[in-house]
């Protein structure tokens, strides 16, 4: 009888021990693991200074040069005399690293080509103004800035595009008509 009691007590303890394991195991499985999301950081660029509070927009409808290169606006600012600055406002979903590796160009088609200083531009009736993409921060966004000098002041159209050594990105150009340079 003592053996039977010890056997029953042993089985009881084993059974109780199994219940304890079963109770702790679900608790370990019920734990929710937190997903660690990589922190997305926007690169910081130097702040663009010496810009008027109200920009002189020549285009503000948004344009996709590529799936990852999107421009919200283009502004044309006078820097005095024949010096000007184009500001391309990039949309937030633009690949800034890709843009930094590109060049930007504006081709100005004059109403009166005889006012170009150089004979080559008078013959072409247009002047291309290329530049490497320089990124700056402006307000809460990122912009590409292009400085240049240009005479005459009235143009029938200006074509804007991004390019690299292989050519124009996506073969897409933005054309804006009837541009007059600010004084």
């Amino acid at each position: 009888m003592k053996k039977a009691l010890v056997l029953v007590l042993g089985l009881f303890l084993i059974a109780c021990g199994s219940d304890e394991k079963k109770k702790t195991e679900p608790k370990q499985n019920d734990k929710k693991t937190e997903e660690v999301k990589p922190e997305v950081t926007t690169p910081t660029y130097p702040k663009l200074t010496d810009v008027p509070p109200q920009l002189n927009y020549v285009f503000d409808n948004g344009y996709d040069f590529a799936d990852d290169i999107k421009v919200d606006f283009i502004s044309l600012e006078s820097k005095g005399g024949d010096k000007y600055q184009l500001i391309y406002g990039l949309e937030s979903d633009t690949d800034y690293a890709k843009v930094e590796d590109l060049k930007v160009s504006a081709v100005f088609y004059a109403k009166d080509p005889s006012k170009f200083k150089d004979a080559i531009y008078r013959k072409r009736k247009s002047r291309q103004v290329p530049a490497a993409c320089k990124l700056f921060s402006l307000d809460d966004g990122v912009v590409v800035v292009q400085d240049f000098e240009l005479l005459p002041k009235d143009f029938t159209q200006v074509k804007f595009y991004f390019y690299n050594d292989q050519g124009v990105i996506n073969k897409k150009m933005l054309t804006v008509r009837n541009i007059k340079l600010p004084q």
Side-chain angles (χ1 to χ4, degrees), residues 18 61 86-87 92 99 161:
S18 298
N61 295 330
L86 280 167
I87 301 171
S92 60
V99 172
Y161 57 92

Side-chain angles (χ1 to χ4, degrees), residues 13-87:
L13 289 175
I14 291 173
C16 288
S18 298
D19 287 340
E20 284 300 316
K21 273 189 176 179
K22 287 179 184 175
K23 289 179 183 175
T24 58
E25 286 176 9
K27 287 182 183 177
Q28 290 174 356
N29 290 339
D30 286 345
K31 287 184 181 177
K32 293 182 180 177
T33 56
E34 292 183 29
E35 291 182 29
V36 178
K37 295 181 180 177
E39 189 174 318
V40 178
T41 57
T42 304
T44 55
Y45 299 102
K47 184 157 179 59
L48 184 61
T49 57
D50 198 25
V51 178
Q54 181 60 39
L55 296 177
N56 180 34
Y57 296 108
V58 293
F59 179 80
D60 62 355
N61 295 330
Y63 189 78
D64 297 353
F65 288 95
D67 290 339
D68 52 357
I69 303 173
K70 299 176 182 180
V71 172
D72 185 34
F73 67 87
I74 299 174
S75 170
L76 180 61
E77 305 300 327
S78 174
K79 293 297 181 183
D82 296 337
K83 295 181 182 181
Y84 297 93
Q85 183 177 63
L86 280 167
I87 301 171

Side-chain angles (χ1 to χ4, degrees), residues 74-117:
I74 299 174
S75 170
L76 180 61
E77 305 300 327
S78 174
K79 293 297 181 183
D82 296 337
K83 295 181 182 181
Y84 297 93
Q85 183 177 63
L86 280 167
I87 301 171
Y88 301 79
L90 300 176
E91 291 187 7
S92 60
D93 57 345
T94 295
D95 183 351
Y96 301 133
K98 182 176 181 179
V99 172
E100 282 182 304
D101 293 335
L102 298 175
K103 297 173 185 133
V104 65
S105 183
V107 181
F108 291 84
Y109 295 86
K111 284 185 179 179
D112 184 3
S114 66
K115 292 185 178 181
F116 281 123
K117 291 180 181 179

